[in-house]
Amino acid sequence: QVQLVEYGGGFVQSGGSLRLSCRASGIRFRMSPMSWYRQTPGTPRESVANIASNGRTTYGDSVKGRFTISRDNAKNTIYLEMYDLKPEDTAVYYCNYGGPSGHWGQGTQVTVSS
């Protein structure tokens, strides 16, 4: 059974930073591409960052240069380090395995005040 559990959301002022974590179980983690998405009410989920099994990363245009995705295969965990946060980064952030039709975590709220 695939399980993804996110940690690390919270409230931060504009310009601040946060680190999100997602621990995965039930998958062959070191061979699995993983992603972070985010969603605000009334909008579709937006791809934020992706990391391949070989560590190659891609980012959404709105977060390039501010967010960093990484993975620790020994801990079955991916991370999203977010810097220079802006109010428009406010969203529920989701960990994903398997793409939009795959598996999702429960989400963690990130709120950035202006």
Side-chain angles (χ1 to χ4, degrees), residues 39-108:
Q39 187 173 28
T40 55
T43 67
R45 287 184 185 179
E46 171 193 8
S47 177
V48 174
N50 308 282
I51 186 164
S53 58
N54 64 3
R56 181 171 294 180
T57 59
T58 58
Y59 297 91
D61 287 342
S62 61
V63 306
K64 279 180 183 176
R66 300 188 299 119
F67 289 14
T68 300
I69 188 172
S70 61
R71 66 191 298 153
D72 184 338
N73 289 338
K75 296 182 179 180
N76 282 16
T77 299
I78 62 168
Y79 304 95
L80 186 68
E81 296 188 70
M82 305 182 291
Y83 302 97
D84 189 24
L85 282 160
K86 307 176 186 299
E88 52 264 41
D89 294 317
T90 295
V92 178
Y93 284 71
Y94 295 92
C95 178
N96 172 268
Y97 162 69
S101 60
H103 300 271
W104 300 92
Q106 81 283 2
T108 186

Side-chain angles (χ1 to χ4, degrees), residues 13 16 25 36 55 92 105:
Q13 291 188 331
S25 59
W36 287 99
V92 178

